[in-house]
């Protein structure tokens, strides 16, 4: 349960992600990101040239680089040591004008002027104090700014092991909060209503909820959920 977890403990786990994995996903993420998330994220983020964008929990920086390559002025925040080190190294090798800051979203230093857009892709489920992190993402937005976040769809997070065991999808304990250990770090299951009600309590207007599925010809994988919201003007 998340009560036994601190942000620091979670960050320490994520921050040991091996270099081979960071390299494998450096261009456009993993299979799910390539086929499910990136196309919808880019559509939701819209016209990027000149916009100040925060990539909150940017990991190895693949999305920061994609957004900077499309003209955004990107700041990437990442607390995990190996991920932050890899992202800054990529920027040194092929500069795109991305500023990386090593920090916990719940303890952000000043990042300058408010952002037009904040994107947090697959990050909130990795954070014990996810509500504090979401609050921080909204607080650094300009009024009317866009916040887009992605999470594994909480109905389908453990698709593959459940499929292997039962030959069909089964969802258990949907309403409870529990941890999901992963190869690179721990995620936490939370309901969609937890995320959406917090967003509404922060004064955001939900503008779109997407549940993209794979094209039939794409190989196996799990549907994920993407939410876009605007900070109140
Ligand atoms: C599943 S990875 C996603 C990374 C990246 N956004 C991507 O899409 O590739 C989760 C990320 O959340 C980061 N993270 C964990 N706790 C955090 C915190 N308190 N503040 C900011 N980022 C955090 C991890 O270090 C990791 O990079």
């Amino acid at each position: 349960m998340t009560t036994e977890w601190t942000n620091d403990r979670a960050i320490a786990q994520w921050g040991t992600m091996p270099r081979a994995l960071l390299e494998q996903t450096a261009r456009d993420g993993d299979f799910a990101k390539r086929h499910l998330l990136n196309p919808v994220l880019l559509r939701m983020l819209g016209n990027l040239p000149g916009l100040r964008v925060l990539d909150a929990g940017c990991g190895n920086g693949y999305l920061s680089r994609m957004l900077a390559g499309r003209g955004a002025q990107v700041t990437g925040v990442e607390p995990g040591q190996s991920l932050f080190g890899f992202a800054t190294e990529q920027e040194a090798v092929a500069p795109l004008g991305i500023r990386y800051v090593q920090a916990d979203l719940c303890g952000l230093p000043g990042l300058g002027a408010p952002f037009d857009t904040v994107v947090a892709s697959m990050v909130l489920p990795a954070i014990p104090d996810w509500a504090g992190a979401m609050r921080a993402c909204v607080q650094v937005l300009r009024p009317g700014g866009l916040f887009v976040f992605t999470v594994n769809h909480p109905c389908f997070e453990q698709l593959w092991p459940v499929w292997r065991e039962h030959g069909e999808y089964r969802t258990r304990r949907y309403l409870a909060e529990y941890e999901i250990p992963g190869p690179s770090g721990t995620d936490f299951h939370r309901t969609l209503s937890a995320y959406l009600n917090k967003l509404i309590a922060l004064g955001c207007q939900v503008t779109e909820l997407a549940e993209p599925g794979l094209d039939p010809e794409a190989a196996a994988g799990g549907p994920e959920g993407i939410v876009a919201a605007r900070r109140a003007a």
Side-chain angles (χ1 to χ4, degrees):
M1 299 295 290
T2 49
T3 48
E4 295 154 20
W5 281 81
T6 61
N7 282 14
D8 284 347
R9 180 178 166 201
I11 290 165
Q13 255 193 1
W14 284 103
T16 59
M17 196 178 286
R19 185 168 180 98
L21 188 55
L22 297 169
E23 280 173 356
Q24 264 169 35
T25 55
R27 195 172 69 85
D28 53 1
D30 59 14
F31 179 89
K33 287 170 183 164
R34 210 168 302 129
H35 293 283
L36 291 170
L37 295 186
N38 297 344
V40 183
L41 274 175
L42 291 173
R43 176 181 63 72
M44 285 186 177
L45 293 171
N47 207 18
L48 290 165
L51 290 190
R52 272 177 57 74
V53 176
L54 174 65
D55 186 1
C58 64
N60 69 3
Y62 94 85
L63 185 60
S64 294
R65 289 186 291 279
M66 285 180 78
L67 302 182
R70 286 165 171 76
Q73 296 167 27
V74 180
T75 298
V77 165
E78 170 56 48
Q81 188 54 48
S82 67
L83 299 125
F84 175 78
F86 185 85
T88 50
E89 186 188 305
Q90 297 304 299
E91 178 63 17
V93 171
L96 289 165
I98 303 168
R99 176 170 63 134
Y100 288 106
V101 175
Q102 188 170 20
D104 180 339
L105 286 171
C106 296
L108 279 182
L111 296 175
F115 291 92
D116 299 297
T117 300
V118 175
V119 59
S121 188
M122 309 305 283
V123 172
L124 296 175
I127 306 182
D129 182 11
W130 66 272
M134 183 186 272
R135 188 181 321 112
C137 289
V138 173
Q139 278 173 348
V140 297
L141 272 178
R142 67 167 171 75
L146 179 68
F147 176 37
V148 180
F149 69 92
T150 72
V151 300
N152 269 316
H153 196 304
C155 289
F156 304 116
E157 280 152 343
Q158 298 185 74
L159 221 52
W160 180 233
V162 170
W163 177 266
R164 257 197 314 235
E165 191 181 344
H166 301 290
E168 62 187 21
Y169 304 149
R170 295 187 186 184
T171 301
R172 287 177 297 201
R173 295 198 293 155
Y174 179 77
L175 294 173
E177 183 168 325
Y178 55 87
E179 65 187 74
I180 304 169
S184 313
T186 299
D187 273 345
F188 300 92
H189 167 90
R190 299 169 187 124
T191 60
L192 283 179
S193 58
Y195 288 118
L196 294 180
N197 287 331
K198 183 67 192 170
L199 203 52
I200 292 163
L202 288 166
C204 294
Q205 296 169 317
V206 176
T207 53
E208 186 175 346
L209 176 62
E211 297 175 287
L214 283 178
D215 287 337
E217 67 268 22
E224 311 201 351
I226 304 179
V227 178
R230 288 221 170 256
R231 182 176 180 176

